[in-house]
């Protein structure tokens, strides 16, 4: 956060820090001001971590043995094959998150994210004022002694890095650190990469460093890229891509013969990745998905792209599958080091009932794009005039085709999805009693029956609430309006990017524009997965102090998916609600409910809980309050299957 001040000694966090208590106090005050400013700017939402699976396999002993042996150059990783066969380049990267959606216009699919979190979503430090080295990319040992002495002046390490990306901005005192290991087992710092003047979070910057000392040319050489910043959460973020160490290079050698796909496909059904079948047919909206094409060649370069369509129509456990080519090879020319946001030319034909069977239970639509170029075509086999530019002597055994394919699934089922199914972060409400609402617009104008909701609740560290108030609102001129549905549900957290399917006890008839939301409880945090690669923050609202507003400084899509179907709709108040009485009101320390009820919670309007006892007598519920002070309290009751909320004045 930009207002934060840091005066700590620049050491690794594993070392003790000699800190002046006055500096700690002033830094903490400054941090609180920064947090307050940040929370004001994003209304009532907090950006929270998200757990990711570790990226380095440790159970394969044969793979580990290969890593323990010194590797010959070249070293090349674009993070597009992380966790797959051949991912043996790093001795340490377990806590560095590798993901597709974090970087903005990345050179390839996949980038390394460096922040103050481990891969499982836990912070390195719990003290919010602590700064230090956190995420580290440490290469395996490299056999630099085997390089011919006449070639050693041509050995360079390079990589690309992006400031902030889709995360939180590093401060001027934050940096990326580059270190080399010499033949005395000493780490020599080569660079501190800091925030540039007027930084642009949408571009990748180049770094290149010569292996410039004879002490580095030994067979246990390693390099590492470390991130320094706040160690207590998803702060001060950087993205890393295209890490390349090789000989036959020079000080401005940023070019190598790789054409790549830099992003997955965008949404297919307008802004949706999934829509209910019964809403789609008759209201078909199909828009060209786009994807990013890139080149690292320092000259105009041609490539062709093919996109394949596959549909699977499911019928009660079985399915039929059909495939066809959508886009044939179409010569494209990309400028040197260029990037093209390219749209799909030919759209799927939804009127083709072989591809889209309208009697199916659901349909899965898969788009697979492959680019073909001169990647890995040897100049010793085909003349350069025929676009070959892969020099085996320099690049072998690098396979530049690893990043030439992307595949995206879309769904015609019973739910809407704005998100792509992968969370980069989580969001939560800042204050107890605050409410959030996310807007949906059905494809057709007719009302329909909301029967359930998919919600992704990430499993985070700390005090998590297992109970959440799920809310449904009408639309009121582009903002949440009347509350038309409310249920208390148990939040389940089955795993990373796994949705919890919530079946509503009472279905809700919703209009074309409606909102799904939640209320922040008093007994713990409710976090919702946040897809940062798709941005629908104009549809997200938070309510604090009675006012709905958009978060001004929070981008992304909360991972909430409304489900439609057949269900019993309650159109009038239950008899017990229309006859419900709570008295006396105002009261001092107790009150009576004229029905048998389960009292779920009592709290002041500022979220502070109230301790109480409950007893039943003559089909009435008697509630006694403990150590309560004057004010307005909110009482949440459960009667049969209905959740009721009432307010009582304490004198």
């Amino acid at each position: 956060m930009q207002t934060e001040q840091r005066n700590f000694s620049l050491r690794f966090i594993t070392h003790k820090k000699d800190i002046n208590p006055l500096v700690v106090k002033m830094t903490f005050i400054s941090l609180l001001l920064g947090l307050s400013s940040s929370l004001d700017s994003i209304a009532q939402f907090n950006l929270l971590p998200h757990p990711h699976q570790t990226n380095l396999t440790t159970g394969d002993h044969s793979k580990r043995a290969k890593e323990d042996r010194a590797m010959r150059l070249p070293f090349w990783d674009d993070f597009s094959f992380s966790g797959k066969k051949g991912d043996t380049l790093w001795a340490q990267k377990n806590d560095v998150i590798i993901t597709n959606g974090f970087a903005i216009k990345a050179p390839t699919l996949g980038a390394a994210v460096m922040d103050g979190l481990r891969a499982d979503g836990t912070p390195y430090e719990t003290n919010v004022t602590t700064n230090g080295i956190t995420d580290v990319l440490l290469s395996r040992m490299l056999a630099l002694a085997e390089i011919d002495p006449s070639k050693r002046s041509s050995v360079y390490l390079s990589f690309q890095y992006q400031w902030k990306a889709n995360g939180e901005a590093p401060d001027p005192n934050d940096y990326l650190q580059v270190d080399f290991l010499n033949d005395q087992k000493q780490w020599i710092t080569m660079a501190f990469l800091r925030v540039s003047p007027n930084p642009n979070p949408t571009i990748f910057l180049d770094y290149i460093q010569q292996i410039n000392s004879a002490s580095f040319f030994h067979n246990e050489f390693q390099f590492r890229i470390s991130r320094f910043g706040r160690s207590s959460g998803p702060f001060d973020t950087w993205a890393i891509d295209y890490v390349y160490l090789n000989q036959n290079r020079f000080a401005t050698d940023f070019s190598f013969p790789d054409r790549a796909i830099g992003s997955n496909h965008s949404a297919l059904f307008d802004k949706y990745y999934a829509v209910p079948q019964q809403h789609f047919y008759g209201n078909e909206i199909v828009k060209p998905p786009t994807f990013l094409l890139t080149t690292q060649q320092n000259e105009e370069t041609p490539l062709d792209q093919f996109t394949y369509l596959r549909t699977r129509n499911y019928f009660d456990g079985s399915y039929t599958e059909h495939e066809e080519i959508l886009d044939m090879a179409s010569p494209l020319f990309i400028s040197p080091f260029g990037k093209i946001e390219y749209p799909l030319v030919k759209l799927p034909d939804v009127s083709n009932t072989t591809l889209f069977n309208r009697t199916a239970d659901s349909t899965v639509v898969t788009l697979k794009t492959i680019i073909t170029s001169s990647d890995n075509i040897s100049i010793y086999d085909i003349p350069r005039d025929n676009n070959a530019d892969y020099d085996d002597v320099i690049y072998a055994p690098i396979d530049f085709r690893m990043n030439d394919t992307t595949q995206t699934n879309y769904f015609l089922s019973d739910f809407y999805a704005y998100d792509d199914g992968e969370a980069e972060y989580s969001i939560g409400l800042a204050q107890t009693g605050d409410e959030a609402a996310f807007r949906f617009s059905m494809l057709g104008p007719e009302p329909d029956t909301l029967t359930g909701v998919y919600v992704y609740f990430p499993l985070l560290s700390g005090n998590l609430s297992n109970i959440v108030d799920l809310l449904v609102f009408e639309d009121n001129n582009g903002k949440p309006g009347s509350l038309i549905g409310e249920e208390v549900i148990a939040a389940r957290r089955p795993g990373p990017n796994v949705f919890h399917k919530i079946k509503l006890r009472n279905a809700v008839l919703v209009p074309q524009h409606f909102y799904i939301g939640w209320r922040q409880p008093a007994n713990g945090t409710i976090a919702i997965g946040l897809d940062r690669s798709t941005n629908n923050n104009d549809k997200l609202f938070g309510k604090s102090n009675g006012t709905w507003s958009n978060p001004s400084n929070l981008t992304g899509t909360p991972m909430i998916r409304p489900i439609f179907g057949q269900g019993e709709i309650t159109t009038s108040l239950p008899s017990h609600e229309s006859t419900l009485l709570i008295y006396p009101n105002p009261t001092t320390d107790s009150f009576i409910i004229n029905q048998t009820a389960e009292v779920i919670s009592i709290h002041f309007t500022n979220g502070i809980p109230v301790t109480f006892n409950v007893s039943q007598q003559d089909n009435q519920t008697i509630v006694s309050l403990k150590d309560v002070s004057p004010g307005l309290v909110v009482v949440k009751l459960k009667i049969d299957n209905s959740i009721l909320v009432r307010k009582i004045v304490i004198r």
Side-chain angles (χ1 to χ4, degrees):
M1 300 179 182
Q2 298 297 336
T3 57
E4 183 182 344
Q5 302 296 317
R6 298 192 175 123
N7 298 299
F8 294 103
S9 175
L10 306 185
R11 302 180 184 178
F12 290 96
I13 60 171
T14 52
H15 294 175
K16 293 181 65 176
K17 301 179 179 68
D18 299 320
I19 306 176
N20 185 310
L22 180 60
V23 172
V24 172
K25 182 177 180 180
M26 295 306 296
T27 304
F28 184 69
I29 292 172
S30 179
L31 174 63
L32 290 178
L33 292 174
L35 285 171
S36 174
S37 172
S38 175
L39 290 177
D40 288 343
S41 67
I42 62 174
Q44 56 290 321
F45 289 98
N46 280 339
L47 185 66
L48 302 172
H50 176 259
H52 294 261
Q53 295 178 344
T54 184
N55 299 296
L56 190 61
T57 302
T58 57
D60 186 341
H61 296 290
S62 62
K63 175 186 282 191
R64 297 300 301 168
K66 291 178 182 178
E67 289 181 353
D68 290 340
R69 295 196 300 267
M71 169 187 169
R72 293 182 176 180
L73 297 185
F75 180 106
W76 176 80
D77 195 356
D78 71 339
F79 303 105
S80 65
F81 55 92
S82 182
K84 302 177 183 177
K85 183 179 179 181
D87 182 17
T88 61
L89 296 171
W90 301 97
Q92 179 182 339
K93 73 166 184 178
N94 292 45
D95 285 318
V96 177
I97 299 166
I98 310 299
T99 184
N100 290 333
F102 179 83
I104 301 173
K105 292 187 176 180
T108 67
L109 284 169
V113 178
M114 308 186 83
D115 58 12
L117 295 172
R118 302 183 187 277
D120 63 4
T122 60
Y124 284 88
E125 296 283 345
T126 56
N127 186 336
V128 296
T129 65
T130 299
N131 302 281
I133 296 292
T134 56
D135 286 346
V136 176
L137 286 170
L138 173 64
S139 76
R140 60 184 290 186
M141 292 186 296
L142 302 171
L144 297 195
E146 298 183 15
I147 297 175
D148 188 290
S150 65
K151 292 284 190 178
R152 292 184 178 182
S153 62
S154 69
V155 180
Y156 284 80
L157 168 71
S158 65
F159 59 86
Q160 297 183 24
Y161 64 101
Q162 188 173 64
W163 171 88
K164 183 179 181 291
N166 273 319
E168 197 260 352
D171 297 333
N173 289 336
D174 300 329
Y175 55 80
L176 295 176
Q177 182 172 328
V178 182
D179 300 309
F180 292 169
L181 185 67
N182 67 15
D183 54 8
Q184 302 300 310
K185 301 293 185 179
Q186 297 171 325
W187 284 105
I188 307 301
T189 298
M190 308 305 296
F192 295 102
L193 304 179
R194 302 182 186 275
V195 177
S196 60
N198 302 314
N200 185 342
T202 68
I203 65 171
F204 272 81
L205 303 172
D206 288 298
Y207 168 78
I208 191 167
Q209 174 64 53
Q210 184 184 28
I211 311 299
N212 57 3
S213 171
S215 66
F216 297 138
F217 287 91
H218 59 99
N219 283 342
E220 294 183 357
F221 173 82
Q222 291 176 283
F223 68 88
R224 67 185 179 193
I225 306 168
S226 309
R227 168 263 187 202
F228 178 92
R230 182 136 49 106
S231 310
S232 56
F235 310 118
D236 306 332
T237 53
W238 307 79
I240 306 290
D241 209 343
Y242 269 139
V243 183
Y244 178 43
L245 175 61
N246 203 1
Q247 56 184 326
N248 297 300
R249 304 188 69 188
F250 48 90
T252 57
D253 179 32
F254 300 111
S255 174
F256 43 90
D258 188 27
R259 274 67 46 171
I261 296 178
S263 72
N264 292 321
H265 304 93
S266 61
L268 177 62
F269 309 121
D270 195 9
K271 284 194 171 185
Y272 285 117
Y273 285 83
V275 296
Q277 270 191 327
Q278 69 267 31
H279 295 180
F280 181 74
Y281 293 124
N283 302 288
E284 295 91 344
I285 298 179
V286 180
K287 292 188 177 181
T290 61
F291 47 92
L292 188 67
L293 301 175
T294 70
T295 179
Q296 291 304 303
Q297 186 68 294
N298 190 20
E299 60 184 30
E300 188 176 61
T301 181
L303 58 81
D304 300 326
Q305 67 89 8
F306 297 81
T307 296
Y308 299 86
L309 168 71
R310 184 186 70 210
T311 62
R312 281 186 176 179
N313 296 288
Y314 287 86
F315 304 87
D316 193 25
S318 64
Y319 66 87
T320 59
E321 184 173 284
H322 303 276
E323 293 187 5
E324 67 176 36
I325 296 178
L326 285 183
D327 285 4
M328 299 292 290
S330 51
L332 297 170
F333 286 89
I334 303 181
S335 60
F337 303 113
K339 297 180 180 179
I340 298 177
E341 194 79 35
Y342 191 75
L344 194 66
V345 175
K346 182 182 177 182
L347 294 176
D349 182 5
V350 297
S351 66
N352 185 334
T353 55
T354 300
L355 293 171
F356 296 86
N357 191 318
R358 302 191 177 203
T359 66
D361 300 327
S362 62
T363 301
V364 178
V365 182
T366 302
L367 295 180
K368 183 177 182 178
T369 295
I370 303 173
I371 61 170
T372 59
S373 62
S374 54
D375 286 5
N376 282 68
I377 297 179
S378 174
I379 61 175
Y380 304 107
D381 297 333
I382 297 177
R384 284 183 178 271
D385 292 343
N386 292 332
N387 297 325
D389 55 9
Y390 186 90
D391 189 332
D392 302 67
V393 173
I394 297 176
Y395 301 114
I398 296 174
D399 189 348
F400 290 124
R401 297 167 296 184
M402 297 288 291
N403 49 34
D404 291 353
T405 302
T406 186
Q407 179 172 300
T408 307
N409 291 328
Y410 307 91
F411 303 91
L412 295 175
S413 185
D414 59 357
F415 64 94
Y416 283 100
Y418 279 117
D419 65 273
D420 66 4
E422 184 175 350
E424 285 74 42
Y425 288 102
S426 309
I427 56 169
L429 289 163
Q431 301 294 330
T432 298
D434 284 358
E435 295 178 356
F438 186 50
R439 188 175 195 260
F440 291 88
S441 297
M442 294 187 288
L443 295 188
E446 298 298 323
D448 202 358
T449 306
L450 180 74
T451 60
V453 182
Y454 287 110
V455 183
Y456 172 40
F457 297 109
L459 180 61
L460 306 180
S461 61
N463 182 25
L464 300 179
S465 175
N466 293 320
I467 301 297
V468 60
D469 297 336
L470 191 70
L471 313 174
V472 183
F473 300 93
E474 290 182 320
D475 181 71
N476 181 19
N477 296 318
K479 289 187 176 183
S482 300
L483 182 68
I484 57 176
E486 178 176 1
E487 291 195 11
V488 177
I489 59 99
R492 297 178 183 172
R493 301 173 174 90
N497 296 312
V498 180
F499 285 80
H500 170 34
K501 183 177 182 179
I502 302 164
K503 184 178 179 180
L504 299 180
R505 290 186 293 270
N506 298 302
V508 181
L509 186 68
V510 295
Q512 182 181 17
H513 308 294
F514 66 97
Y515 299 78
I516 303 292
W518 73 95
R519 183 182 294 116
Q520 171 60 32
N523 60 345
T525 298
I526 286 293
I528 306 292
L530 183 68
D531 172 19
R532 209 67 186 263
S533 63
T534 62
N535 185 22
N536 290 283
N537 67 331
D538 60 322
K539 301 175 179 62
L540 179 62
F541 292 83
K543 184 180 182 181
S544 184
N545 298 321
T547 302
W548 288 105
S549 61
N550 290 115
S552 61
N553 216 22
L554 181 70
T555 60
T557 300
M559 296 173 70
I560 301 173
R561 299 174 170 184
I563 305 170
F564 289 84
Q566 295 181 346
E568 183 178 347
I569 300 174
T570 302
T571 57
S572 61
L573 290 176
S575 59
H576 56 68
E577 183 169 356
S578 61
T579 59
L580 176 68
L581 293 176
I582 298 180
Y583 61 92
N585 186 10
T587 185
T588 54
D589 57 5
S590 65
F591 57 87
I592 298 172
I593 304 168
N594 70 335
Q595 301 178 35
T596 300
E598 176 188 347
V599 183
I600 298 174
S601 67
I602 303 176
H603 58 268
F604 286 97
T605 55
N606 62 3
I608 298 176
V610 175
T611 304
F612 59 92
N613 287 329
V614 176
S615 61
Q616 305 291 337
Q617 182 178 339
D618 299 329
N619 295 324
Q620 293 184 331
T621 303
I622 302 172
V623 181
S624 300
L625 308 178
K626 292 185 176 182
D627 301 324
V628 66
S629 56
L632 182 66
V633 299
V634 178
V635 182
K636 185 178 295 183
L637 310 170
K638 182 178 181 182
I639 302 178
D640 295 333
N641 288 322
S642 297
I643 302 297
L644 309 177
V645 177
R646 294 293 185 266
K647 294 181 180 179
I648 295 179
V649 176
I650 307 298
R651 292 192 294 198

